[in-house]
Amino acid sequence: MPETTPETAPETTPEAVPETTSEVISNVVPETSPTATLETAPKTTRKFVLASRHSQLAQIQTNIVRDELAKLHPDITFETSFMATGGDKNQSQALYLLGGKALWTKELEVSMLEGSVDLLVHSFKDVPTVLPEGCEIAGVLERENPLDCLIVKQGLSYKSLEELPEGSVVGTSSVRRVAQLKRRFPKLAFKDCRGNLNTRMAKLDAPDSPFTAIILAKAGMVRLGWGARITCDLGPPTALHAVSQGALAIEIRSDDEQARQLCRSITHWPTEWSCLAERACLRVLEGGCSVPVGVYTTLTEEPAEEGTKKGKLHITGCVTSLEGDKHVEHFIEAHVHTAEEAEAIGAKLAQVLIETGARQILDDINADREKRIQEAKEKNEKVDA
């Protein structure tokens, strides 16, 4: 990532976006224009509604998908719709205590299953590894850079975590990031920092901010056009990123074949296979977005017979205790010919991690969470009494 340039840094005023908005894009192919690929473009007069969260980043990501679909299928009408989810509405509690990734997807899935919308656009890292009955991931776009990144407060000259003074406060909402970085930077302090990217950037730069820096996913910063604020990348061996980070996924109703064909037409298979391997690993480990499971994956396309695909998959996974004092890491490299083979490699990696110590770490984490949830309930009961 490029170094920080405060004088060109964007303003970080939190976005003012209504809870539900919609936009329509409809392009009709002129008679003299080439048609979309027949085998992937269902002939239909139906319009398709793409939905996502109402944050600025979610809207940008939804528009990316919409534009890709419209480019390949200009004779089909696409609309967008945005709404608040449980994760957006609860900005006070730490994600670690709130439960699984359904916080970001449940309301959207209800709307889709009721038929109000047709396709859901997600940051793939926010999607649970097990979907509700009747839902499926039908498309995955090419991955943006999946690494985490460091953003230092405006006006400060630090260029890396190594340069931060002892006791500096680093903000993040991810226990994965905290757990991994505590191992290498025990003299730094880590504090929960929730909110959309706009909100977190505003919290960082506020005059009374407790944060010296915050850590975010690089992909979101790039999509928002804020690359100039990135101080440095955080990649292996310092930090392994979240499962499916940097990728956009499209969820549909399982019985919607027309939507499935549209999604397949814009799917980037190396990204899809990589993310499926990572998600299979996480599924076996039974981790969620608030569990310190990190991954790093590459898939190199290899020559294959016509009509088939082949790639060399290299996937690394790790599980780290909350205090960073216990860490298990392993990698597997294999040639894969199908998405199912990629998933099998991810599941195999999880088993290796479990056998070498990850199960005990995850059990300890789950016990700690249950304890803290109970303490929070008791505290609320005393306030209400």
Side-chain angles (χ1 to χ4, degrees):
M1 300 179 181
E3 294 183 353
T4 308
T5 52
E7 63 274 14
T8 60
E11 294 181 2
T12 55
T13 303
E15 70 275 24
V17 183
E19 295 236 337
T20 57
T21 60
S22 64
E23 183 177 351
V24 179
I25 181 168
S26 178
N27 299 321
V28 179
V29 182
E31 291 185 5
T32 57
S33 297
T35 58
T37 306
L38 294 179
E39 62 267 26
T40 59
K43 294 182 179 181
T44 178
T45 57
R46 169 188 170 189
K47 72 177 181 182
F48 291 84
V49 180
L50 290 74
S52 189
R53 298 164 56 196
H54 69 26
S55 72
Q56 182 183 1
L57 178 59
Q59 293 195 34
I60 288 172
Q61 293 177 162
T62 303
N63 291 341
I64 289 172
V65 174
R66 178 202 64 188
D67 293 347
E68 287 296 310
L69 288 169
K71 184 167 59 178
L72 285 182
H73 311 290
D75 56 335
I76 297 176
T77 299
F78 298 98
E79 295 183 0
T80 57
S81 178
F82 306 99
M83 64 185 73
T85 65
D88 297 307
K89 296 171 185 175
N90 189 333
Q91 295 289 325
S92 58
Q93 285 184 279
L95 291 176
Y96 177 61
L97 301 177
L98 286 176
K101 300 182 180 183
L103 278 170
W104 311 114
T105 59
K106 184 177 180 180
E107 288 92 343
L108 291 164
E109 288 167 340
V110 169
S111 181
M112 182 178 69
L113 291 172
E114 289 176 346
S116 300
V117 301
D118 303 295
L119 303 94
L120 305 181
V121 179
H122 303 296
S123 291
F124 209 177
K125 70 181 180 65
D126 294 334
V127 179
T129 56
V130 178
L131 299 178
E133 184 177 354
C135 299
E136 68 177 69
I137 298 298
V140 182
L141 272 65
E142 185 171 3
R143 197 172 205 168
E144 184 59 74
N145 189 313
L147 299 183
D148 289 325
C149 64
L150 179 72
I151 300 97
V152 171
K153 183 175 182 176
Q154 281 187 319
L156 299 181
S157 61
Y158 308 119
K159 302 300 182 185
S160 66
L161 285 169
E162 287 82 0
E163 291 186 13
L164 299 186
E166 181 176 349
S168 296
V169 178
V170 178
T172 177
S173 61
S174 164
V175 294
R176 170 189 55 82
R177 292 170 181 151
V178 173
Q180 292 187 52
L181 295 177
K182 275 186 176 182
R183 296 181 64 234
R184 296 180 178 273
F185 305 98
K187 295 182 179 180
L188 298 180
F190 296 91
K191 181 179 175 65
D192 191 60
C193 184
R194 288 280 317 277
N196 296 327
L197 293 194
N198 308 57
T199 302
R200 281 183 268 180
M201 291 292 286
K203 287 180 178 180
L204 170 66
D205 291 332
D208 59 348
S209 171
F211 303 112
T212 301
I214 58 175
I215 300 173
L216 299 171
K218 182 174 183 177
M221 294 291 289
V222 170
R223 289 177 182 138
L224 281 168
W226 294 353
R229 280 302 308 272
I230 295 170
T231 303
C232 68
D233 288 352
L234 299 175
T238 300
L240 273 64
H241 58 74
V243 165
S244 301
Q245 186 162 299
L248 299 181
I250 312 169
E251 185 177 1
I252 65 167
R253 293 182 294 273
S254 299
D255 61 357
D256 192 341
E257 181 58 31
Q258 289 182 331
R260 182 180 294 109
Q261 289 183 43
L262 289 173
C263 293
R264 297 315 299 168
S265 73
I266 61 172
T267 290
H268 184 252
W269 72 266
T271 296
E272 181 183 45
W273 290 16
S274 296
C275 290
L276 289 175
E278 294 172 7
R279 284 169 60 80
C281 178
L282 183 60
R283 188 182 302 115
V284 173
L285 291 170
E286 298 179 341
C289 65
S290 58
V291 172
V293 175
V295 293
Y296 184 77
T297 307
T298 60
L299 192 149
T300 305
E301 187 173 356
E302 298 181 310
E305 294 181 5
E306 186 175 353
T308 66
K309 301 180 180 72
K310 181 181 178 183
K312 185 177 183 180
L313 178 70
H314 182 112
I315 178 170
T316 301
C318 74
V319 180
T320 312
S321 65
L322 295 178
E323 295 303 318
D325 56 338
K326 299 176 183 177
H327 180 82
V328 179
E329 184 171 322
H330 193 76
F331 78 89
I332 294 179
E333 190 171 84
H335 296 280
V336 291
H337 302 81
T338 65
E340 291 75 18
E341 288 184 2
E343 286 187 293
I345 295 301
K348 180 179 178 181
L349 174 62
Q351 290 294 346
V352 174
L353 292 170
I354 288 171
E355 293 167 2
T356 53
R359 173 53 58 211
Q360 184 58 54
I361 294 174
L362 292 174
D363 287 346
D364 291 343
I365 289 170
N366 289 330
D368 177 79
R369 180 189 293 107
E370 291 302 318
K371 178 182 176 182
R372 292 175 63 181
I373 290 174
Q374 185 58 38
E375 290 174 349
K377 287 181 179 178
E378 292 174 357
K379 182 179 180 180
N380 290 337
E381 289 172 358
K382 288 180 180 178
V383 171
D384 295 337

